Amino acid sequence: MQVCRTISNIRAAVAAFRAAGETVGLVTTMGALHSGHMALVAAAKAAQTRVVATIFVNPTQFGNAEDLANYPRTEDADLEMLRDAGVDAVLIPDAAEIYPRDNETIVETTRLANVLHGLVRPGHYRGVTTVVSKLFNITQPDAAYFGEKDYQQLQVIKRMARDLQMPVAVHGVPTVRESDGLAMSSRNARLTENDRRAAVVLSRALDKAENEAGRRVPIDRIDQALRTTINAEPRARLRAVDIVDPATFAPAVGLMKGPIAIMLSVEFGPNDNPVMLIDQREITP
Ligand code: AMP
């Protein structure tokens, strides 16, 4: 596995793959890797002959300097996991490599970035689309793989690639979970033991919602099932429940007529330094 710290090194690695007639799959991460990230690598490996990964804790997608500073960094273990998974090249750039001085260009999906979870984290998706467009331009992959756990992020990136005619196929990969149902996330490492146990409430609430759901069931009933379940867990602070039409991201209202997507944002830990966890589920009646 080639470990590249500069844009010119990764460009040279990818150019050599292309010259040999290989196809390139990209997996972008912020490190602190776990089995969820490895599922993206496996999907890329199954469909492409070469896999490129990136590890970059992107400052522009953090609203809060403390959250950025607290983000776990486990570079040696990450490189070992990527190597074991058969990744061909990895880019680990400095922030200055990605955001040169006087960087002023941003990429934003103007509507999708500013609804739902985007309202809870202003500027977050703009940071994501800006960095992902840079990483697409740097690595020029045929396809890129993103987790369905970050459901709005996946839709935002698909829309960006489509709107800007980027020659990259964007694929979603199902969420990998711990044995109790908690979606794997690098942030889980920041939970106290008690909060870690309580965090199962996200997937439990989604199970309850799925049990309630069905054709012509009031969306309000599904919404109530989610809120009641989360609010019954004293360690959890519900930040957002969104139930939308997965095709348009418009709020689902009235009776359930077709597929819905549910997105949850729930905080744990101290108010001044919380750990925000998200989870999602698509339900077809
Ligand atoms: P992150 O390092 O958290 O920015 O995530 C990098 C990529 O891994 C994103 O596309 C995430 O959606 C994806 N990812 C994170 N956790 C999981 C998971 N539990 N299952 C599948 N994909 C995941």
Side-chain angles (χ1 to χ4, degrees), residues 134-197:
K134 285 169 178 276
L135 295 172
F136 281 6
N137 285 333
I138 292 166
T139 62
Q140 307 204 342
D142 297 283
Y145 298 82
F146 294 88
E148 287 175 359
K149 177 180 74 98
D150 300 284
Y151 188 78
Q152 189 170 356
Q153 167 174 284
L154 173 61
Q155 310 309 319
V156 161
I157 291 168
K158 282 185 170 169
R159 188 64 53 94
M160 169 191 80
R162 189 205 71 179
D163 288 354
L164 295 181
Q165 284 88 18
M166 293 175 168
V168 181
V170 176
H171 298 293
V173 176
T175 303
V176 178
R177 296 174 182 279
E178 303 285 359
S179 55
D180 66 354
L182 176 65
M184 287 191 184
S185 163
S186 310
R187 289 199 159 85
N188 295 351
R190 287 186 51 214
L191 295 169
T192 64
E193 218 174 289
N194 286 335
D195 286 340
R196 165 64 190 85
R197 269 196 294 274

Side-chain angles (χ1 to χ4, degrees), residues 83-263:
R83 202 174 280 121
D84 288 350
V87 167
D88 296 286
V90 57
L91 172 65
I92 314 187
D94 277 349
E97 185 80 3
I98 298 297
Y99 295 102
R101 229 153 45 90
D102 305 334
N103 182 90
E104 62 179 85
T105 304
I106 56 169
V107 176
E108 182 169 31
T109 55
T110 51
R111 183 183 70 88
L112 270 184
N114 297 305
V115 295
L116 310 175
H117 194 69
L119 292 174
V120 184
R121 301 182 69 186
H124 171 70
Y125 290 112
R126 183 198 308 140
V128 169
T129 42
T130 299
V131 80
V132 170
S133 61
K134 285 169 178 276
L135 295 172
F136 281 6
N137 285 333
I138 292 166
T139 62
Q140 307 204 342
D142 297 283
Y145 298 82
F146 294 88
E148 287 175 359
K149 177 180 74 98
D150 300 284
Y151 188 78
Q152 189 170 356
Q153 167 174 284
L154 173 61
Q155 310 309 319
V156 161
I157 291 168
K158 282 185 170 169
R159 188 64 53 94
M160 169 191 80
R162 189 205 71 179
D163 288 354
L164 295 181
Q165 284 88 18
M166 293 175 168
V168 181
V170 176
H171 298 293
V173 176
T175 303
V176 178
R177 296 174 182 279
E178 303 285 359
S179 55
D180 66 354
L182 176 65
M184 287 191 184
S185 163
S186 310
R187 289 199 159 85
N188 295 351
R190 287 186 51 214
L191 295 169
T192 64
E193 218 174 289
N194 286 335
D195 286 340
R196 165 64 190 85
R197 269 196 294 274
V200 70
V201 75
L202 279 86
S203 64
R204 201 180 316 124
L206 292 169
D207 291 342
K208 289 259 164 63
E210 188 158 6
N211 289 341
E212 288 290 336
R215 203 165 285 284
R216 304 199 58 76
V217 167
I219 298 290
D220 276 351
R221 197 194 300 171
I222 301 170
D223 184 83
Q224 271 314 314
L226 291 159
R227 288 176 194 278
T228 310
T229 311
I230 307 268
N231 290 334
E233 171 48 67
R235 295 184 162 274
R237 293 190 299 280
L238 184 56
R239 288 296 303 272
V241 177
D242 295 299
I243 305 179
V244 301
D245 175 340
T248 61
F249 263 56
V253 288
L255 303 181
M256 183 168 171
K257 295 181 270 304
I260 55 171
I262 301 173
M263 284 165 279

Side-chain angles (χ1 to χ4, degrees), residues 28-30 34 36-37 40 71 146-147 149-150 174-176 184:
T28 63
T29 80
M30 299 206 298
H34 50 65
H37 298 110
L40 306 185
Y71 201 83
F146 294 88
K149 177 180 74 98
D150 300 284
T175 303
V176 178
M184 287 191 184

